Amino acid sequence: MIRDTFFSAPRFVNLCRKEMVESWKANLLRFVMMYGIMAIAFVWNGYFRYNYPQGMIDRGVEQDPIWYFELTIFLWAMVIMGLLSASFVMERMKTKTNRIAVLMTPATMFEKFLSRWLVFTFGFLIVFLIAFKLADWTRVMIYMVSYPELKSVIASAPLSYLGNSGYYWTGLQTWDGLLMALSGYFFAQSIFVLGSSIWPRNSFVKTFSAVIVIIIVYVAIGSLLAKILFEGRGGYGVHQTMSDEAMMHLSTAVFFAMAVFNWIVAYFRFKESEIINRW
């Protein structure tokens, strides 16, 4: 009998261990897939970047020319794979047998949701970072052996360039911009977590389709209202009274708040499955 009806740390640890043991094959395959896709992309791009080593030496190239490509891939792959990972949160609720097995596990619904949420949101980020670095090091090792004369140029891509302005290319010019992008990422991911709790089967496709439809509807309504309200009026448009920095901070706070809201709604939707999805 469960005494702590909301959360128990020892029971939660055992539940996480159970989740990892039962899903290690699927998680390993997903890790290998992420690593393989990025490794192939990096090695393929490196073939064209390092094809004329003498020309790079003559031009005095000091920065690895593949960094821009790798950091761009890092951002896009993290978003796409992160959304796909979020859609797997409720994958065990697809069939009747799996639903009963999940619901009969001796743990609270909050612990079950939290264990899955941690694995497929924050756990994904750790695994993705490891896969990215392994793919990057694979590229470095291959081309250091192939082009030993470029050992001073070929290097691992520094992730610090994603949010630090300076002489070299950066993904986002300030750390505030990086924080806003991260909050936007968690907001987008939370939508797919919520979608997974609503549609356990084909969650990614259904959630993506629903988001596209909602965006189209909101854009159409917004465009129509703007046309009705502002068409034919004089003036110089809307004057912005808030600074760019304040707008960035506000956007970050809103994105984080909406992400938390979606996660909470997803939890209560999952909690309802204790009753409505038992059979």
Side-chain angles (χ1 to χ4, degrees), residues 192-259:
F192 282 81
V193 172
L194 178 58
S196 178
S197 66
I198 299 174
W199 303 295
R201 297 181 181 179
N202 301 321
S203 174
F204 182 82
V205 175
K206 292 179 180 178
T207 305
F208 184 79
S209 302
V211 169
I212 294 299
V213 171
I214 292 172
I215 290 176
I216 292 175
V217 171
Y218 271 85
V219 169
I221 294 175
S223 301
L224 181 61
L225 290 177
K227 185 176 181 180
I228 294 174
L229 295 176
F230 299 107
E231 186 177 18
R233 294 190 178 185
Y236 299 96
V238 179
H239 296 280
Q240 182 176 340
T241 59
M242 185 178 296
S243 65
D244 292 340
E245 184 178 1
M247 181 67 71
M248 189 176 296
H249 292 164
L250 178 61
S251 300
T252 301
V254 170
F255 281 143
F256 273 126
M258 291 300 296

Side-chain angles (χ1 to χ4, degrees), residues 143-156:
Y143 287 110
M144 275 192 172
V145 173
S146 302
Y147 302 104
E149 63 272 26
L150 294 178
K151 286 186 177 180
S152 60
V153 176
I154 299 175
S156 178

Side-chain angles (χ1 to χ4, degrees), residues 256-269:
F256 273 126
M258 291 300 296
V260 173
F261 175 78
N262 287 337
W263 288 330
I264 293 174
V265 173
Y267 162 67
F268 281 106
R269 179 64 182 81

Side-chain angles (χ1 to χ4, degrees), residues 79-104:
V79 172
I80 296 173
M81 295 180 182
L83 299 183
L84 186 61
S85 174
S87 67
F88 293 144
V89 171
M90 299 300 169
E91 64 177 346
R92 292 197 174 183
M93 304 295 287
K94 291 180 180 180
T95 64
K96 173 183 174 181
T97 303
N98 289 339
R99 285 198 299 269
I100 294 177
V102 170
L103 296 175
M104 294 300 291

